Amino acid sequence: MEKARAIFVEESQHAAACKAVEIVEAAIHEAVNSRDVCHIALAGGTTPIPAYQILAARSMTGSIPWNRVNFFFGDERNVPPDHIESNYHTAQRELFDKAPVDWSRVYPMPGDAADLQAAAESYEKTIRRVVGGGNEHETPHFDLIMLGMGCDGHVASLFEGSPLLNEDKKLVAAECVTMLGRCRMTMTLPLIKAAHNVLLLVTGEDKAEMVYQAVIKGDRSLPAMHIKPNNGKLWIVVDKAAARLAVDEIEQRH
Ligand code: 6PG
């Protein structure tokens, strides 16, 4: 039986991005070959940028059926979609503007809405309409949800100690994050854990302590410890810099 979790330690940030692209492209091919559509949620922050750039560069020669891919977002900051800090803006600049995506299949998360709760409910309805799980008892299954991890172990905009970590009904929620002094919109764990594939991409020396705490110590207080899909696969891709404190144990275990 295929293992439910796979960890890859890559030599460099670029190699980690290449591995992430390999996983994303495989998920797209599998989904489109079986259902003629693929539903992906992209990560925020800066870690995914090299992967987006590789996907975009490969898009003009590769075999990815870009027009069959629906793009959603795992979380969004409380800024307009053309703001430099917007996760949508990052994906647009590095991927959507360069790859032959179907723009009608790109669903920005309205992180700057005046009524964030109403906007979160609306985004959830869009996910239910497009991805499936039309009734409130069935959770939509993304083919792949891509996540980064903060230095504090947060994923998407799910931060340690947040009540959203115990949310078991809403699939998309909004919260004003005290630690940030900012409001965020985010997918919640029920939606993340319903995915067929979750890809956690973590690179850089500044993440080494948290990779050790999350991957080796298994610190359950960290949101990054709660993203393993219920019936899917968790892919963890790190570079050697981020794995500096964990690489020996990772190699022993896998
Ligand atoms: C966000 C992200 C967040 C991000 C981590 C890592 O909106 O900030 O969704 O969860 O993935 O904070 O950020 P970096 O990739 O910039 O280190």
Side-chain angles (χ1 to χ4, degrees), residues 138-192:
E138 186 195 344
T139 304
H141 302 286
F142 275 84
D143 293 292
L144 183 137
I145 295 179
M146 190 175 180
L147 297 169
M149 183 179 73
C151 294
D152 59 358
H154 80 263
V155 290
S157 284
L158 299 169
F159 291 84
E160 187 176 353
S162 167
L164 288 185
L165 290 172
N166 299 311
E167 177 58 57
D168 61 2
K169 290 185 180 50
K170 293 177 186 174
L171 303 182
V172 180
E175 179 186 41
C176 287
V177 184
T178 312
M179 190 257 299
L180 294 179
R182 309 281 295 274
C183 293
R184 291 286 188 95
M185 189 177 294
T186 186
M187 287 185 175
T188 60
L189 291 176
L191 184 55
I192 292 169

Side-chain angles (χ1 to χ4, degrees), residues 216-237:
I216 302 303
K217 300 280 281 184
D219 181 347
R220 301 291 297 172
S221 69
L222 301 173
M225 282 303 301
H226 299 278
I227 58 174
K228 192 179 126 3
N230 301 322
N231 297 301
K233 183 154 186 174
L234 173 59
W235 306 82
I236 300 174
V237 178

Side-chain angles (χ1 to χ4, degrees), residues 59-79:
S59 70
M60 305 319 281
T61 56
S63 60
I64 293 293
W66 288 97
N67 63 343
R68 305 304 303 154
V69 184
N70 291 316
F71 290 98
F72 289 83
F73 289 82
D75 75 319
E76 190 53 273
R77 291 93 179 267
N78 192 7
V79 293

Side-chain angles (χ1 to χ4, degrees), residues 5-235:
R5 181 175 98 158
I7 302 181
F8 298 91
V9 180
E10 303 296 334
E11 282 296 322
S12 65
Q13 180 192 50
H14 177 75
C18 289
K19 185 66 181 178
V21 165
E22 184 187 308
I23 293 164
V24 170
E25 289 188 341
I28 293 173
H29 280 304
E30 183 178 346
V32 173
N33 290 343
S34 62
R35 286 178 286 108
D36 197 31
V37 68
C38 180
H39 308 294
I40 286 184
L42 294 177
T46 56
T47 301
I49 291 175
Y52 295 162
Q53 291 170 338
I54 295 166
L55 279 168
R58 287 163 58 98
S59 70
M60 305 319 281
T61 56
S63 60
I64 293 293
W66 288 97
N67 63 343
R68 305 304 303 154
V69 184
N70 291 316
F71 290 98
F72 289 83
F73 289 82
D75 75 319
E76 190 53 273
R77 291 93 179 267
N78 192 7
V79 293
D82 60 353
H83 191 283
I84 190 71
E85 287 185 14
S86 160
N87 292 332
Y88 166 78
H89 180 70
T90 299
Q92 178 196 344
R93 184 183 70 240
E94 302 296 346
L95 178 57
F96 300 150
D97 283 348
K98 300 171 183 172
V101 302
D102 177 344
W103 284 95
S104 71
R105 291 175 176 272
V106 176
Y107 300 89
M109 187 180 262
D112 64 328
D115 182 341
L116 272 183
Q117 294 301 342
E121 288 168 17
S122 173
Y123 198 70
E124 177 171 329
K125 283 181 183 150
T126 301
I127 290 173
R128 287 188 179 281
R129 174 174 56 82
V130 174
V131 182
N135 67 60
E136 70 276 7
H137 303 298
E138 186 195 344
T139 304
H141 302 286
F142 275 84
D143 293 292
L144 183 137
I145 295 179
M146 190 175 180
L147 297 169
M149 183 179 73
C151 294
D152 59 358
H154 80 263
V155 290
S157 284
L158 299 169
F159 291 84
E160 187 176 353
S162 167
L164 288 185
L165 290 172
N166 299 311
E167 177 58 57
D168 61 2
K169 290 185 180 50
K170 293 177 186 174
L171 303 182
V172 180
E175 179 186 41
C176 287
V177 184
T178 312
M179 190 257 299
L180 294 179
R182 309 281 295 274
C183 293
R184 291 286 188 95
M185 189 177 294
T186 186
M187 287 185 175
T188 60
L189 291 176
L191 184 55
I192 292 169
K193 290 168 71 72
H196 295 304
N197 294 281
V198 171
L199 167 59
L200 180 68
L201 176 60
V202 187
T203 59
E205 171 73 26
D206 62 335
K207 305 288 174 71
E209 176 59 33
M210 201 41 68
V211 166
Y212 178 76
Q213 290 300 328
V215 176
I216 302 303
K217 300 280 281 184
D219 181 347
R220 301 291 297 172
S221 69
L222 301 173
M225 282 303 301
H226 299 278
I227 58 174
K228 192 179 126 3
N230 301 322
N231 297 301
K233 183 154 186 174
L234 173 59
W235 306 82

